[in-house]
Structure formats: C-alpha cells, structure tokens
Amino acid sequence: MQATNQAVQQAIDDCKECHAICVQTIQHDIQHGGPHVAPDHLRLLEDCAQICQLSEDLMLRSSPFSPAICEVCADVCDRCAVSCDQVGKGTDAQLRACADQCRRCAQSCRQMAHMRP
Amino acid sequence: MQATNQAVQQAIDDCKECHAICVQTIQHDIQHGGPHVAPDHLRLLEDCAQICQLSEDLMLRSSPFSPAICEVCADVCDRCAVSCDQVGKGTDAQLRACADQCRRCAQSCRQMAHMRP
Amino acid sequence: MQATNQAVQQAIDDCKECHAICVQTIQHDIQHGGPHVAPDHLRLLEDCAQICQLSEDLMLRSSPFSPAICEVCADVCDRCAVSCDQVGKGTDAQLRACADQCRRCAQSCRQMAHMRP
Amino acid sequence: MQATNQAVQQAIDDCKECHAICVQTIQHDIQHGGPHVAPDHLRLLEDCAQICQLSEDLMLRSSPFSPAICEVCADVCDRCAVSCDQVGKGTDAQLRACADQCRRCAQSCRQMAHMRP
C-alpha cells in the first residue's frame, strides 16, 4: 500500500505540531509544579517531543525507516495523550490541547506505519 | 523592547518551515547531483536545518538565549538563501522555494534577535 | 532480563560515537563526490546520525521506549555499515571506520532491544 | 588564529559529555522534586543539552558558524553551571558533576569561539 502524498504531508504536519506543543507543555508543567512535574509524565513529554522530530525528518526525506519509527512514535503519542489527560483532569487547557494533538499525531503516524514508501 | 506574541509565533512558524524545507532540499540536491552537491552548499543546508530547529525550541520555551541564537540563525538563513539562489539559478523550483523560506526566516529571526523576552 | 548498567553505558557510548562518525562521514563523502554522494548512501548516514542521537537520549533517561527505538537503531546501523562498505570498497579509511562503528553500535543496540528497563 | 585539531576534538568531546550529563541531570532533578524542579533551572538544563548537541555537530562538519554558536554555548554552559551549584549546594553529586562538566565545556567552547576554522 502506497502512502499518498496527502497522508504523508498530514503526518509531517502533525509531528511538527506535536513536537511544538510537547516542548511548550513541559514548560507549562514545570511552571505549575505539583502533579504536573510527575517524573513519568515529564519523561513522556520529552520522549514524545524528540521522537516526533525524528519521525518528521524521516518522512521529509522519504526514509525507508519512517514506517518503523512512525510505529513507535504512534505508541509514544498515545501514551503521552493518556498522561496529559490524567495530569490535566480535563480542566487544564494546555494539557487538553496537548493530549488532543498527541492523539491526532498517533493516528497519522499509525497510518504511516502501515504503509510502505 | 518586548516581543509581541504574534511576532514570536511567526518566528516559530518560520523556523519550523525553514527546517522542513532545508531537510527536503538536501534530498532534492543529492538526487540531482552535479552543482547541487557542492560541499559548502550542502553543509549550509544542514547547518540551517539544525539551527532553525534549535531556535524554534528556544522560542517555544521562552528561553533567555533565544535572542542570541536567533541572531546566528538569521545569518545562517541569509547565507543559505544566497547559496540556494546560486545553485538553483532561478530555474529550480525547490531551491527557489527554499531560498524564499530562508529569507522569511532570516527576517523573523532578526526581529527576535533585537527583542528581549 | 535486566539491562546491566555496563551494557547500557556501552550502548550510550556507541550511539554517541556512531552519531559523530556519521556526521563526519557525510562531510567526507560530499567532499569526495562521485559514488560517495549516492542518494541512498547519504540518506542512510543522515538517518543513522539522527536515530543514534535519539537512542542515546532515551537510554540516558531510562525511557520505557528505548528498547523499541534501539531495535530500529540496530537495523539502521547494520544497513549503514553495509552501505559504507560498498561505497568505500575497503580502501577508504573514513568509510571503513564508519562501517566498524556502525556495526559496534548495531550490536550494542540490539542487546538493549532485547532487554527491558 | 587556527584551531588545532586537538582543541577542536576536546571541544567536541566536552559538548558530547555536557549534552549527556544535562539529559541525565534533568531526570535526576525531576525524580527529586522540590528546589530541583525550579523552572529556570530545568529550562537551563534543556537549553544546555540542546545547544551542546548543535555545537558538536557544527564542529564535526567544520561549519563556518561554529565559532558563533560555540560562543553562545559557552554562555549557556556557564549559566547552567551556576544554576547546578545553587540547586545542589555542593552536596548533590549529580549536580556537582554536571556543574563541573558545564564549566569544562564552557572553557573549550570559548576557545573555539575565538578561533576561526
């Protein structure tokens, strides 16, 4: 199954935005303190920010390794979304936006994982 | 002088796009070969892709070092734009688009360099 | 199976060195031109440099995703070693050193892939 | 003034180690909580980890921009060392080791900043 250009572009854009919102959410969380600085939560945000950046670059250069990386990226994004929901409890706008973007990115990346360039 | 949120957001977006188009242009150039793979040109594209990524992250976390990095970033982007013009000779669409984005990014980053967070 | 500290430290060091030699080899190759700038070869070096950097960071922070990323990293390193051998034909010292480091890194990362933090 | 190969190699190695220890120190700090998660301190560690990575890559490819980036890198490392001293109060071994490496890296990078490739 071939990845259409449009699906690839969507995944690239989702990774870009997911990277950016995770970097911002880390700052938001360390400003807030308390449950926002739970070690596993912050580490997930860091992992998610970094792997989205790598996925983006691999897709931009049509790397044969982008399906494999996008598969891991989708898993990280899903876990990060759950963590943002748990910490934000639906009332923290930054964490809600971050969770939403992580879910969008997980979906786009999972689609890439099942395609072959 | 305070950086308005809008100017910062514009610089963040320009760095994102400049990073992405430089990564793509490297692939475009190595596919083409000949003058497109001139060592100094490819190195500039690599430098530009990486420093735009750093500038973006520093701005996203309102780092006190973003003015200093944005200043270097603006210089790299300007030099990269000139290099893309020279290699593309106005007839290569990818290199023209890359040069345009580099110039936009240089302008936004230079504005950040003169502001204090 | 638990990853011993020593095995993790070895994998971290191998990723650091593999990242560094791939970045240098890209410059070496674009200085040489000819078969050294074959698109698939350069893209492999770029992929390898970037994924080694990510693997390193995930191991440094004992991320639960380091086994999954190290598994992909090992594959990229193996493929990059083969490519360096083919381009360097055993006579180019930089490419031989790069191939050797890629193989060492593949081996350390594969060990991490089979361990759980 | 020409940068000798040995001084460049030292700066590359110092940036590698400084990146690694900053990534580890972030995890150490978020495990500890309290004064260890002061927002400005954590942001400095993140900035330092990222800019060391960029400085390393620019030196590895003998980029004409490495003096400019190494200059900013030296400033970030100096500030990060002070922050690690303040948070660790001389009694936290991880923070002391991080401060020491930041100071070594600041010194090597400052030397690069005054040389021209």
Side-chain angles (χ1 to χ4, degrees):
Chain A
M1 194 177 181
Q2 278 274 319
T4 64
N5 280 345
Q6 205 187 336
V8 179
Q9 191 54 55
Q10 185 61 51
I12 289 170
D13 291 344
D14 281 334
C15 284
K16 258 183 213 159
E17 291 313 313
C18 199
H19 167 80
I21 202 164
C22 285
V23 171
Q24 284 183 318
T25 302
I26 291 169
Q27 289 312 301
H28 168 87
D29 282 343
I30 63 183
Q31 295 283 345
H32 272 64
H36 289 70
V37 293
D40 289 354
H41 172 62
L42 286 183
R43 187 171 57 190
L44 262 171
L45 285 164
E46 290 176 317
D47 287 355
C48 196
Q50 279 194 295
I51 196 170
C52 283
Q53 206 169 46
L54 178 64
S55 301
E56 180 199 340
D57 282 10
L58 294 185
M59 287 186 280
L60 283 167
R61 66 171 86 102
S62 304
S63 164
F65 296 102
S66 58
I69 289 297
C70 282
E71 192 172 347
V72 187
C73 191
D75 290 343
V76 179
C77 287
D78 272 336
R79 289 269 291 275
C80 195
V82 171
S83 181
C84 288
D85 282 340
Q86 286 171 342
V87 171
K89 294 174 180 170
T91 59
D92 181 315
Q94 175 73 29
L95 283 162
R96 207 166 47 218
C98 192
D100 287 348
Q101 182 57 38
C102 285
R103 267 187 282 267
R104 265 193 295 276
C105 194
Q107 202 178 358
S108 312
C109 282
R110 194 148 284 126
Q111 221 180 325
M112 288 304 107
H114 295 136
M115 287 165 166
R116 290 295 171 267
Chain B
M1 193 176 181
Q2 277 273 319
T4 65
N5 280 344
Q6 206 188 335
V8 179
Q9 191 55 55
Q10 184 61 51
I12 289 170
D13 290 344
D14 281 334
C15 283
K16 259 184 213 158
E17 291 313 312
C18 199
H19 167 80
I21 202 165
C22 285
V23 171
Q24 285 182 319
T25 303
I26 292 168
Q27 289 313 300
H28 168 87
D29 283 344
I30 63 183
Q31 295 284 345
H32 273 65
H36 288 70
V37 292
D40 290 353
H41 171 63
L42 286 183
R43 188 171 56 190
L44 262 171
L45 285 164
E46 290 175 318
D47 287 355
C48 195
Q50 279 193 295
I51 196 172
C52 283
Q53 205 168 46
L54 177 65
S55 302
E56 181 199 341
D57 282 10
L58 295 185
M59 287 186 280
L60 283 168
R61 65 170 87 103
S62 305
S63 163
F65 296 102
S66 58
I69 290 296
C70 282
E71 192 172 347
V72 187
C73 191
D75 290 343
V76 179
C77 287
D78 273 337
R79 289 269 291 276
C80 195
V82 171
S83 181
C84 288
D85 282 340
Q86 287 171 341
V87 172
K89 293 175 181 169
T91 60
D92 181 314
Q94 175 72 29
L95 283 162
R96 206 166 46 216
C98 192
D100 288 347
Q101 182 57 38
C102 286
R103 267 186 283 267
R104 266 192 295 276
C105 194
Q107 202 177 359
S108 312
C109 282
R110 194 149 282 125
Q111 221 181 326
M112 289 303 108
H114 296 135
M115 286 166 166
R116 290 297 171 265
Chain C
M1 193 177 182
Q2 277 272 319
T4 65
N5 281 345
Q6 206 187 334
V8 179
Q9 191 55 54
Q10 186 60 53
I12 288 170
D13 290 344
D14 281 334
C15 283
K16 258 183 213 156
E17 291 314 312
C18 199
H19 167 80
I21 202 165
C22 285
V23 171
Q24 284 183 318
T25 303
I26 292 168
Q27 288 314 300
H28 168 87
D29 283 343
I30 63 182
Q31 295 283 347
H32 272 65
H36 288 70
V37 292
D40 289 354
H41 172 63
L42 287 182
R43 188 172 56 191
L44 262 171
L45 285 164
E46 291 176 316
D47 286 355
C48 195
Q50 279 194 294
I51 196 171
C52 284
Q53 207 170 44
L54 178 65
S55 301
E56 181 199 341
D57 282 10
L58 295 185
M59 287 185 281
L60 284 167
R61 66 170 86 102
S62 304
S63 164
F65 296 102
S66 57
I69 290 295
C70 282
E71 192 172 348
V72 187
C73 191
D75 290 343
V76 179
C77 287
D78 273 336
R79 289 269 292 275
C80 194
V82 171
S83 181
C84 288
D85 283 340
Q86 287 171 342
V87 171
K89 293 173 181 172
T91 59
D92 181 315
Q94 175 72 29
L95 283 161
R96 205 166 47 217
C98 191
D100 287 348
Q101 182 57 38
C102 285
R103 267 186 283 268
R104 267 193 295 276
C105 193
Q107 203 177 357
S108 313
C109 282
R110 194 149 283 126
Q111 221 180 325
M112 289 303 108
H114 296 135
M115 287 166 166
R116 289 298 171 266
Chain D
M1 192 178 182
Q2 277 272 317
T4 65
N5 280 345
Q6 206 186 335
V8 179
Q9 190 55 54
Q10 185 60 53
I12 289 170
D13 290 344
D14 281 333
C15 283
K16 259 184 213 158
E17 290 314 313
C18 199
H19 167 80
I21 202 165
C22 285
V23 171
Q24 284 182 320
T25 303
I26 292 169
Q27 288 313 299
H28 168 87
D29 284 343
I30 63 182
Q31 294 284 344
H32 273 64
H36 289 70
V37 291
D40 289 355
H41 172 63
L42 287 183
R43 188 171 57 190
L44 262 171
L45 285 164
E46 291 176 317
D47 287 356
C48 196
Q50 279 193 295
I51 196 171
C52 284
Q53 206 169 45
L54 178 65
S55 301
E56 181 200 340
D57 283 9
L58 294 185
M59 287 186 280
L60 284 167
R61 66 170 85 102
S62 304
S63 163
F65 296 102
S66 58
I69 289 296
C70 282
E71 192 173 347
V72 187
C73 191
D75 291 343
V76 179
C77 287
D78 274 336
R79 289 268 292 275
C80 194
V82 171
S83 181
C84 287
D85 283 340
Q86 287 171 342
V87 171
K89 294 172 180 170
T91 60
D92 181 314
Q94 175 72 30
L95 283 162
R96 206 166 46 218
C98 191
D100 288 347
Q101 182 57 38
C102 285
R103 266 185 285 267
R104 267 193 294 277
C105 193
Q107 202 177 357
S108 313
C109 282
R110 194 149 283 125
Q111 221 180 325
M112 289 303 108
H114 297 135
M115 287 166 165
R116 290 296 171 266

